[in-house]
Amino acid sequence: QDGPECVDGAMCGDGITAGWEECDDANQADGDDCSAACHSTCTALHFDGENDHVDLGEPDVLEFLLTSSFSIEFWLRQDTLTDTQAILSRGDLELASQNKNIVIRTWADGKVRFQVRGDAGQDKQARALTPAGVIGAGAWHHIHVQRELGVALRVFVDGQLEATTTDGAGAITFTAPRPLRLGTLENHHGDLAFGGFFHGSMKLLRIWNRALSAEEVATKQLQTLVPSEEEGLVAVFPMSEAAGTTIADTTGATPSGQVHGADWQVGLPM
């Protein structure tokens, strides 16, 4: 995912700001008289793998996630690949409770799994599981999951389609509050450690109300997008605040997410 080389050894920029940058840097490498200054402003939210998480609530503007097609994308760097880690979730996995959910998790062997369990029941749940090794500890990866309602679930990693499965899960109806969360997955007792806390860094969460094409997934992952110019781009959380206990949706469509324990990394190499 390196961009073009620096021009004349000192001038940064290739005309775009990539999804993992805060400035027009042109490449990822530091120590080249070009990118170090840019990287000093890069920020991400870091989760400790013990109890850190973000609560994004249940805003009306994101209720389409329960009944329609959608795409969710973000940049992720795991510190460790131990056990199962919950990256994003809404709902629960408990047979004794609602047993409906949208979940993105990673496995210790570097797999990514995207799951939707809806009103059609557990037997009709849809799970898209990538091969092992598509992500590794200490490296940044772009994760894009999408649900094309009634057709398929898909998982893209770094712009490449890595998993797909048929979607027959149906709509999702909750009868009790089930907020959208980052870094955790709860059970019906409210135990946030149920799915394994995320250990690593995350930035630039974008939520769409449609399933993007494979070409769009590959190209848009490295682009700074103007929501008003993008069909179906509903929410954008850059996670570039660098301080504080909230993350803002720069579209203004949803309330700020509440950060619980996670801390800011400033100048993080991307």
Side-chain angles (χ1 to χ4, degrees):
Q1 296 157 12
D2 288 342
E5 294 298 320
C6 300
V7 178
D8 296 330
M11 187 172 73
C12 297
D14 57 356
I16 64 171
T17 304
W20 32 259
E21 298 177 307
E22 296 300 321
C23 57
D24 185 11
D25 171 58
N27 61 36
Q28 296 185 58
D30 282 334
D32 57 3
D33 298 322
C34 176
S35 58
C38 292
H39 280 166
S40 68
T41 65
C42 291
T43 62
L45 192 60
H46 183 261
F47 300 73
D48 66 3
E50 297 181 2
N51 54 19
D52 293 353
H53 63 281
V54 176
D55 190 334
L56 297 174
E58 300 177 284
D60 290 343
V61 72
L62 296 182
E63 286 301 284
F64 67 85
L65 293 172
L66 307 182
T67 59
S68 305
S69 298
F70 63 81
S71 296
I72 298 173
E73 59 172 319
F74 50 86
W75 286 86
L76 166 150
R77 188 181 77 166
Q78 291 197 244
D79 290 351
T80 59
L81 285 175
T82 55
D83 301 320
T84 301
Q85 299 182 28
I87 309 302
L88 178 148
S89 67
R90 185 171 180 189
D92 64 70
L93 294 178
E94 288 285 307
L95 290 172
S97 187
Q98 298 186 67
N99 197 30
K100 302 172 186 177
N101 51 70
I102 299 168
V103 181
I104 306 170
R105 291 194 284 183
T106 60
W107 259 238
D109 58 1
K111 295 175 183 173
V112 178
R113 187 170 85 170
F114 172 39
Q115 171 179 310
V116 175
R117 187 180 298 169
D119 296 346
Q122 184 167 337
D123 291 344
K124 296 292 186 181
Q125 67 183 333
R127 294 175 174 175
L129 181 64
T130 72
V134 298
I135 61 171
W140 281 100
H141 296 282
H142 180 263
I143 309 297
H144 177 115
V145 304
Q146 61 179 233
R147 183 187 192 190
E148 187 176 359
L149 187 69
V151 178
L153 266 58
R154 304 181 185 96
V155 180
F156 296 81
V157 179
D158 299 329
Q160 300 297 314
L161 179 63
E162 296 288 355
T164 184
T165 191
T166 301
D167 175 35
I172 301 173
T173 304
F174 291 128
T175 58
R178 289 293 183 267
L180 181 64
R181 288 191 169 103
L182 304 178
T184 187
L185 170 62
E186 68 176 315
N187 65 11
H188 68 292
H189 297 299
D191 179 5
L192 297 181
F194 178 72
F197 286 103
F198 172 53
H199 187 204
S201 303
M202 184 184 301
K203 72 178 282 100
L204 192 60
L205 169 68
R206 297 193 290 212
I207 302 175
W208 304 72
N209 65 10
R210 63 184 180 92
L212 275 64
S213 69
E215 181 180 2
E216 288 177 308
V217 173
T219 57
K220 293 182 186 297
Q221 64 171 328
L222 295 175
Q223 295 177 341
T224 295
L225 306 178
V226 179
S228 61
E229 298 176 0
E230 296 292 331
E231 178 189 354
L233 182 53
V234 176
V236 179
F237 295 88
M239 303 187 204
S240 58
E241 282 81 356
T245 58
T246 61
I247 58 172
D249 172 12
T250 55
T251 73
T254 71
S256 294
Q258 302 301 307
V259 177
H260 299 276
D263 58 2
W264 294 101
Q265 293 183 320
V266 180
L268 185 69
M270 304 297 289

